[in-house]
PDB file of all heavy atoms in Angstrom:
ATOM      1  N   THR R 210     180.573 153.495   0.300  1.00 77.00           N
ATOM      2  CA  THR R 210     180.385 153.194   1.670  1.00 77.00           C
ATOM      3  C   THR R 210     179.498 151.972   1.875  1.00 77.00           C
ATOM      4  O   THR R 210     179.240 151.565   3.036  1.00 77.00           O
ATOM      5  CB  THR R 210     179.733 154.410   2.475  1.00 77.00           C
ATOM      6  OG1 THR R 210     178.524 154.742   1.784  1.00 77.00           O
ATOM      7  CG2 THR R 210     180.670 155.569   2.421  1.00 77.00           C
ATOM      8  N   GLU R 211     179.006 151.350   0.814  1.00 82.00           N
ATOM      9  CA  GLU R 211     178.013 150.284   0.926  1.00 82.00           C
ATOM     10  C   GLU R 211     178.692 148.954   1.206  1.00 82.00           C
ATOM     11  O   GLU R 211     179.781 148.641   0.705  1.00 82.00           O
ATOM     12  CB  GLU R 211     177.209 150.197  -0.347  1.00 82.00           C
ATOM     13  CG  GLU R 211     176.367 151.408  -0.621  1.00 82.00           C
ATOM     14  CD  GLU R 211     175.266 151.603   0.364  1.00 82.00           C
ATOM     15  OE1 GLU R 211     174.700 150.616   0.890  1.00 82.00           O
ATOM     16  OE2 GLU R 211     174.958 152.801   0.702  1.00 82.00           O
ATOM     17  N   LEU R 212     178.001 148.146   1.995  1.00 73.00           N
ATOM     18  CA  LEU R 212     178.393 146.734   2.150  1.00 73.00           C
ATOM     19  C   LEU R 212     177.972 145.937   0.904  1.00 73.00           C
ATOM     20  O   LEU R 212     177.094 146.362   0.150  1.00 73.00           O
ATOM     21  CB  LEU R 212     177.674 146.129   3.340  1.00 73.00           C
ATOM     22  CG  LEU R 212     177.899 146.800   4.707  1.00 73.00           C
ATOM     23  CD1 LEU R 212     176.946 146.159   5.743  1.00 73.00           C
ATOM     24  CD2 LEU R 212     179.356 146.708   5.170  1.00 73.00           C
ATOM     25  N   GLY R 213     178.636 144.788   0.655  1.00 67.00           N
ATOM     26  CA  GLY R 213     178.184 143.924  -0.374  1.00 67.00           C
ATOM     27  C   GLY R 213     176.942 143.175   0.076  1.00 67.00           C
ATOM     28  O   GLY R 213     176.397 143.362   1.208  1.00 67.00           O
ATOM     29  N   SER R 214     176.421 142.320  -0.809  1.00 71.00           N
ATOM     30  CA  SER R 214     175.193 141.511  -0.478  1.00 71.00           C
ATOM     31  C   SER R 214     175.603 140.033  -0.322  1.00 71.00           C
ATOM     32  O   SER R 214     176.300 139.488  -1.171  1.00 71.00           O
ATOM     33  CB  SER R 214     174.203 141.591  -1.642  1.00 71.00           C
ATOM     34  OG  SER R 214     173.754 142.931  -1.819  1.00 71.00           O
ATOM     35  N   SER R 221     179.240 138.568   2.452  1.00 71.00           N
ATOM     36  CA  SER R 221     179.691 139.528   1.426  1.00 71.00           C
ATOM     37  C   SER R 221     180.947 140.283   1.894  1.00 71.00           C
ATOM     38  O   SER R 221     181.422 140.133   3.044  1.00 71.00           O
ATOM     39  CB  SER R 221     178.594 140.534   1.134  1.00 71.00           C
ATOM     40  OG  SER R 221     178.449 141.379   2.327  1.00 71.00           O
ATOM     41  N   GLY R 222     181.469 141.102   0.963  1.00 77.00           N
ATOM     42  CA  GLY R 222     182.541 142.001   1.390  1.00 77.00           C
ATOM     43  C   GLY R 222     181.983 143.124   2.242  1.00 77.00           C
ATOM     44  O   GLY R 222     180.803 143.515   2.084  1.00 77.00           O
ATOM     45  N   GLY R 223     182.800 143.587   3.154  1.00 84.00           N
ATOM     46  CA  GLY R 223     182.388 144.666   4.059  1.00 84.00           C
ATOM     47  C   GLY R 223     182.667 146.053   3.413  1.00 84.00           C
ATOM     48  O   GLY R 223     182.844 146.165   2.191  1.00 84.00           O
ATOM     49  N   ALA R 224     182.742 147.099   4.264  1.00 91.00           N
ATOM     50  CA  ALA R 224     183.020 148.439   3.824  1.00 91.00           C
ATOM     51  C   ALA R 224     184.180 148.996   4.679  1.00 91.00           C
ATOM     52  O   ALA R 224     184.049 148.951   5.876  1.00 91.00           O
ATOM     53  CB  ALA R 224     181.771 149.321   3.901  1.00 91.00           C
ATOM     54  N   SER R 251     178.539 139.331  -3.177  1.00 84.00           N
ATOM     55  CA  SER R 251     179.150 140.410  -3.861  1.00 84.00           C
ATOM     56  C   SER R 251     180.266 141.083  -3.068  1.00 84.00           C
ATOM     57  O   SER R 251     180.333 140.942  -1.854  1.00 84.00           O
ATOM     58  CB  SER R 251     178.107 141.476  -4.227  1.00 84.00           C
ATOM     59  OG  SER R 251     177.567 142.055  -3.066  1.00 84.00           O
ATOM     60  N   GLY R 252     181.136 141.787  -3.809  1.00 88.00           N
ATOM     61  CA  GLY R 252     182.188 142.541  -3.137  1.00 88.00           C
ATOM     62  C   GLY R 252     181.612 143.753  -2.426  1.00 88.00           C
ATOM     63  O   GLY R 252     180.512 144.235  -2.736  1.00 88.00           O
ATOM     64  N   GLY R 253     182.432 144.271  -1.506  1.00 91.00           N
ATOM     65  CA  GLY R 253     181.943 145.442  -0.721  1.00 91.00           C
ATOM     66  C   GLY R 253     182.633 146.731  -1.247  1.00 91.00           C
ATOM     67  O   GLY R 253     182.764 146.938  -2.414  1.00 91.00           O
ATOM     68  N   SER R 254     183.114 147.600  -0.299  1.00 93.00           N
ATOM     69  CA  SER R 254     183.692 148.854  -0.657  1.00 93.00           C
ATOM     70  C   SER R 254     185.062 149.028  -0.037  1.00 93.00           C
ATOM     71  O   SER R 254     185.277 148.703   1.108  1.00 93.00           O
ATOM     72  CB  SER R 254     182.786 150.002  -0.148  1.00 93.00           C
ATOM     73  OG  SER R 254     181.482 149.893  -0.677  1.00 93.00           O
TER      74      SER R 254
END
Side-chain angles (χ1 to χ4, degrees):
T210 58
E211 297 294 324
L212 303 172
S214 298
S221 68
S251 66
S254 302

